[in-house]
Amino acid sequence: MSESEEPTERGADFATESLEKWTPRFVANGIDYNDLARLQERIDDWSDWCSEFAAIGDEHEALGTAALDRGDELAAGQHFRQASMYYHFGSHVWHVDDEERDEAHMEAVDLFERAGEYLDPPVHRIEAPFEDFTVPGNLRVPDASPGGDDGDSPLVVLLPGLDSIKEELSAYDADFHDRGIATLAVDGAAQGETWYEQGMSPRYPELISAVVDHIQSLDPDGVDTDRLGVYGVSLGGFYAPYVAANEQRFDACVGISGPFTVGSVSGRSSDLLREQFQWACKTDSLVDVDETTDAMSLRDDIEDLTAPSLMVTGADDHIIPPAQTERIATRAENGEYVLYDNGNHVCNNIPYKYRPMAADWLREQLA
């Protein structure tokens, strides 16, 4: 922290608590547990959070560069992907310095793009036109279809949560690719790169419909774009059924720890959560935030959710009450509900249980 900056009220204790709180998510999605121990020693103030994550990201990037120098492209892709996650988690809820945060986010995007060339399957960036901007996505197509042959694979569109980005969802890809399913991780409204163009909005399904239009027009090799699933986590667990109810081209839907209604934010107890919603809605006014989030509900759409829909959550979810996720499954025409007694939010503490199960379920629906 420079001498010209004011110290924050969020010091080392706040940073330590945040690291501990998010450890299951960090580890499940690409952060090394040993690096978290180093971060606990290095972060003296919340203002240090982004730069210290970035510094360790630079170490992983250097490993990727060294791997390229010795001709090991697979290792390079893995290192660059991991470096991307450090930059992402350094910036994902950090709003101390907007310029530094945006630079860290875009570095996460750039590092993942470098990784994508060497990952298996490789990552192909798509940009779907929507009004006066484009909606970006990362497309990955496995070599084999669900039948184990070289036929076309169904496609699952992956949707991030409130503070997530499409690059983070690469942690979910392998479960689908191993089952012969292609994936397309998308930054929807107020997410990742799309945030710079579009804040949080009940129009979210329109952006995803534009993505479906575009991917079907591209007709990529190895993909059957007439067999579509949608899968979302956290707030994306609301977006997935919300999209499927408004876009009948989706044949199946999975939502992980999503709410039936997003609802008012002003009464939430977490300052950090309120800040994140303000950032997502591009406003300092909690009144304006509530106007947006109150409108984000499945109440008027749930009867249109006719595709088979699997809703999953954990009984120890203290962010989205499990009853909210259960309500989606109960009200949906073809809803199913899975509750893990020991699962936390997004069941990040037991990804080995729910991720293969959800991928198997989608394979059954789409194959």
Side-chain angles (χ1 to χ4, degrees):
M1 185 172 65
S2 68
E3 292 180 358
S4 62
E5 291 178 312
E6 291 293 330
T8 70
E9 295 181 0
R10 296 169 178 165
D13 288 345
F14 181 84
T16 297
E17 291 170 3
S18 297
L19 283 168
E20 292 174 351
K21 176 177 66 176
W22 291 321
T23 286
R25 175 181 173 185
F26 289 166
V27 173
N29 294 337
I31 299 296
D32 188 276
Y33 184 82
N34 300 288
D35 285 339
L36 291 176
R38 289 201 290 152
L39 285 164
Q40 285 189 343
E41 295 178 355
R42 293 167 58 161
I43 297 176
D44 295 324
D45 187 90
W46 182 242
S47 62
D48 300 328
W49 179 278
C50 187
S51 61
E52 292 296 348
F53 266 84
I56 294 184
D58 290 342
E59 295 176 14
H60 288 276
E61 180 184 8
L63 291 173
T65 301
L68 278 184
D69 290 342
R70 65 176 183 267
D72 189 345
E73 294 185 346
L74 178 59
Q78 293 169 337
H79 289 306
F80 290 144
R81 188 263 167 192
Q82 192 166 25
S84 171
M85 290 302 96
Y86 286 85
Y87 271 93
H88 161 51
F89 285 122
S91 63
H92 79 306
V93 294
W94 190 81
H95 302 291
V96 176
D97 183 314
D98 290 343
E99 182 177 355
E100 183 178 349
R101 184 213 172 275
D102 292 347
E103 288 178 355
H105 164 240
M106 290 310 301
E107 183 67 15
V109 174
D110 292 343
L111 283 164
F112 188 81
E113 187 170 355
R114 290 177 66 188
E117 180 180 353
Y118 308 113
L119 296 176
D120 183 21
V123 179
H124 301 282
R125 181 181 173 90
I126 67 107
E127 295 183 351
F130 179 77
E131 297 182 349
D132 60 348
F133 62 93
T134 58
V135 181
N138 292 326
L139 175 67
R140 302 183 70 185
V141 183
D143 292 331
S145 71
D149 54 29
D150 59 358
D152 288 344
S153 297
L155 177 67
V156 171
V157 177
L158 303 175
L159 305 179
L162 173 66
D163 54 29
S164 185
I165 58 177
K166 62 187 181 301
E167 288 75 18
E168 183 183 348
L169 296 179
S170 62
Y172 295 75
D173 283 352
D175 287 317
F176 293 106
H177 302 156
D178 290 346
R179 291 161 175 78
I181 300 172
T183 56
L184 177 60
V186 176
D187 282 334
Q191 295 169 328
E193 294 176 80
T194 302
W195 174 86
Y196 300 103
E197 305 291 345
Q198 174 70 65
M200 185 173 286
S201 169
R203 297 183 64 198
Y204 192 101
E206 296 178 35
L207 275 74
I208 305 305
S209 290
V211 171
V212 174
D213 290 340
H214 184 65
I215 200 68
Q216 289 186 334
S217 70
L218 291 176
D219 192 23
D221 289 342
V223 181
D224 182 354
T225 58
D226 289 326
R227 288 186 291 163
L228 296 173
V230 60
Y231 181 114
V233 298
S234 191
L235 186 58
F238 162 78
Y239 286 138
Y242 188 38
V243 164
N246 285 276
E247 175 51 84
Q248 298 303 310
R249 284 177 288 183
F250 283 108
D251 303 300
C253 165
V254 172
I256 312 297
S257 293
F260 185 92
T261 297
V262 179
S264 298
V265 171
S266 58
R268 304 287 181 93
S269 59
S270 169
D271 290 340
L272 206 59
L273 184 63
R274 292 196 299 271
E275 285 177 12
Q276 188 66 18
F277 270 103
Q278 288 173 298
W279 174 85
C281 293
K282 296 192 170 188
T283 178
D284 292 328
S285 168
L286 284 172
V287 173
D288 291 342
V289 171
D290 284 350
E291 289 290 330
T292 297
T293 56
D294 282 343
M296 295 170 62
S297 174
L298 286 165
R299 189 175 296 107
D300 296 329
D301 300 271
I302 194 68
E303 291 183 358
D304 296 320
L305 181 57
T306 57
S309 300
L310 174 67
M311 300 297 126
V312 180
T313 194
D316 290 334
D317 188 338
H318 300 298
I319 297 177
I320 303 296
Q324 283 274 308
T325 306
E326 182 181 14
R327 185 180 178 189
I328 302 173
T330 301
R331 292 284 307 279
E333 181 176 322
N334 294 297
E336 299 178 39
Y337 180 58
V338 173
L339 177 70
Y340 288 99
D341 289 339
N342 62 331
N344 62 9
H345 184 57
V346 192
C347 296
N348 279 319
N349 60 328
I350 49 170
Y352 53 87
K353 289 185 178 180
Y354 88 87
R355 288 183 184 176
M357 180 276 297
D360 281 340
W361 185 89
L362 271 170
R363 178 177 58 183
E364 292 173 5
Q365 302 301 322
L366 300 177

